Amino acid sequence: MNEPDYQLETLAVRAGIERSQFNEHSEALYLTSSFVFKNAAEAAARFSGQTPGNIYARFTNPTVTAFQERLAVLEGAESCVATSSGMSAILATVMGLLSAGDHIVSSRSLFGATVQLFGNIMKRFGIETTFVSQTDVAAWRAAVQPNTKLLFAETPSNPLTEICDIAALSQVAKQAGALLAVDNCFCTPILQRPLDLGADLVIHSATKYLDGQGRVLGGAVLGRKEVIDPVFTFLRTAGPTMSAFNAWIFLKGLETLSLRMEAHSRSALELALWLEQQPQVERVYYPGLPSHPQYALAKQQQKTGGGIVAFEVKGGKDAAWRVVDATRMISITANLGDTKTTLTHPATTTHCRITPEQRAAAGIGDGLLRVGVGLEAVSDIQADLARGLR
Ligand SMILES: *Cc1c(COP(=O)(O)O)cnc(C)c1O
């Protein structure tokens, strides 16, 4: 399945299959932690790297390899490593590619745990991060230092769906001699391919849309082989590798990804347009709305607006909590990218551990709600939100 002229939809269903002696049609799940060798010489050759092949599942497993190959094809990447979660994908990227004394320039509109990882944990190991505005390319350029090794962005961002200009940031990275990593969790390769736009690394929380049904955790890092190899070396040594079972779930998830992303996007746009009409709603954040500040850039960079809609309710936290508590169907949960619609109050959940000043700087108001639009009928999602808004 290496023919480059297959469409993405086809590759999502068929890439990465290597059938066993049984010629199974659906992808096999290899639940084994280690692999046996014919003799001592074969074991020695595998361990020394003289011959390729599986040794131990902390390093490689055929089901995980199949997932890595399929996702690599979809992202247009030379190489992919799968990880135990999205956060361990980000951790492995930093641990594999940076050292004490290095510097990161990062968007400040990041997933909350990523802010913690860069701002607190990596700082203890001598890696400093400067947080800048997601949308201000000049600010990224100004924040670059001689020791800057990594630029890190997430687009659209969580929860405000701010768009960063991947091509422009890749120019900043090139001039700085640094790598640009893009967390492509919200779009998936179906809607956006950051490597085509000049990014060096793509990061995934597979937990979200790649699974698509809220079952298991996983992540991935993709890019050129020379960039991914040190990330893999960290993973096989330190151990936050993806389990074979989870890889099998993600392989099957990828097969329906393009259909789901189209449906999520269609419903999200309909919901966003409806929310804009509600008098109790101050503002709606959705990249597919003409009112979005980066609508033109989003149109150029992404196929559709994606499945995440955020909106600010008039009346702050109390009003936002009333909307949450009045729902009967929508799941009150921090996850997203699920067939089931999810609802989060970022200020008191995903972003509660950052200071109120950091929250204000990131634009996370007390009345803000984030909807991960699922695959239920949009009219039912609207009715569930309308109750609390009334
Ligand atoms: C969820 C998420 C992560 C972290 O992924 P986990 O699988 O929960 O570790 C990283 N980035 C974004 C944008 C996310 O939504």
Side-chain angles (χ1 to χ4, degrees), residues 57-374:
R58 174 152 38 78
F59 313 162
T60 58
N61 169 289
T63 311
V64 177
T65 303
F67 165 70
Q68 291 174 163
E69 286 182 7
R70 187 170 291 180
L71 186 61
V73 166
L74 295 181
E75 285 285 5
E78 190 181 1
S79 193
C80 171
V81 288
T83 58
S84 58
S85 69
M87 285 318 300
S88 61
I90 300 172
L91 175 69
T93 301
V94 175
M95 296 299 272
L97 296 169
L98 275 68
S99 301
D102 287 344
H103 175 247
I104 301 172
V105 181
S106 168
S107 163
R108 65 175 171 229
S109 315
L110 287 182
F111 186 67
T114 315
V115 175
Q116 291 294 316
L117 179 69
F118 289 170
N120 296 339
I121 299 177
M122 295 325 301
K123 195 184 164 111
R124 287 199 280 114
F125 294 90
I127 297 172
E128 294 278 343
T129 301
T130 305
F131 292 100
V132 296
S133 156
Q134 167 98 332
T135 54
D136 184 353
V137 178
W140 287 78
R141 198 176 292 114
V144 166
Q145 302 175 6
N147 58 342
T148 302
K149 289 281 166 62
L150 184 70
L151 272 62
F152 192 97
E154 190 184 304
T155 184
S157 71
N158 180 21
L160 292 178
T161 73
E162 287 179 307
I163 309 291
C164 73
D165 187 335
I166 298 174
L169 290 187
S170 89
Q171 289 308 313
V172 176
K174 275 192 186 70
Q175 278 160 16
L179 298 169
L180 171 64
V182 174
D183 184 332
N184 201 24
C185 174
F186 275 28
C187 273
T188 82
I190 301 299
L191 304 186
Q192 170 175 277
R193 299 218 312 177
L195 299 176
D196 291 350
L197 298 165
D200 301 286
L201 291 150
V202 171
I203 310 262
H204 274 287
S205 168
T207 315
K208 312 295 167 52
Y209 290 107
L210 303 193
D211 173 352
Q213 294 171 62
R215 295 164 292 191
V216 295
L217 268 76
V221 189
L222 302 101
R224 296 186 301 280
K225 186 177 180 306
E226 76 202 56
V227 181
I228 298 303
D229 279 351
V231 179
F232 175 61
T233 301
F234 170 78
L235 271 177
R236 61 173 279 166
T237 309
T241 28
M242 179 178 282
S243 85
F245 179 79
N246 291 10
W248 180 77
I249 294 278
F250 295 130
L251 266 172
K252 304 315 283 179
L254 286 179
E255 294 181 10
T256 56
L257 184 63
S258 70
L259 281 177
R260 286 187 286 108
M261 291 316 290
E262 278 167 33
H264 284 298
S265 299
R266 217 181 310 116
S267 296
L269 177 61
E270 202 177 323
L271 185 72
L273 288 166
W274 174 81
L275 282 166
E276 270 197 328
Q277 303 300 315
Q278 306 310 304
Q280 306 87 346
V281 172
E282 185 84 50
R283 193 171 159 192
V284 182
Y285 301 87
Y286 183 65
L289 284 180
S291 62
H292 191 283
Q294 290 117 9
Y295 177 64
L297 176 61
K299 254 189 130 162
Q300 179 188 320
Q301 202 165 266
Q302 315 175 187
K303 201 166 149 195
T304 65
I308 308 299
V309 179
F311 62 102
E312 184 86 34
V313 180
K314 287 178 190 163
K317 183 192 138 190
D318 291 347
W321 276 29
R322 269 198 298 279
V323 174
V324 173
D325 291 343
T327 57
R328 290 176 195 159
M329 174 193 77
I330 294 173
S331 310
I332 306 168
T333 177
N335 199 31
L336 57 90
D338 198 303
T339 51
K340 297 178 176 68
T341 295
T342 62
L343 181 62
T344 314
H345 182 244
T348 52
T349 59
T350 53
H351 291 68
C352 75
R353 281 171 199 281
I354 58 174
T355 63
E357 294 73 38
Q358 283 174 315
R359 260 203 306 277
I364 317 269
D366 288 340
L368 188 77
L369 290 171
R370 185 197 70 193
V371 187
V373 181

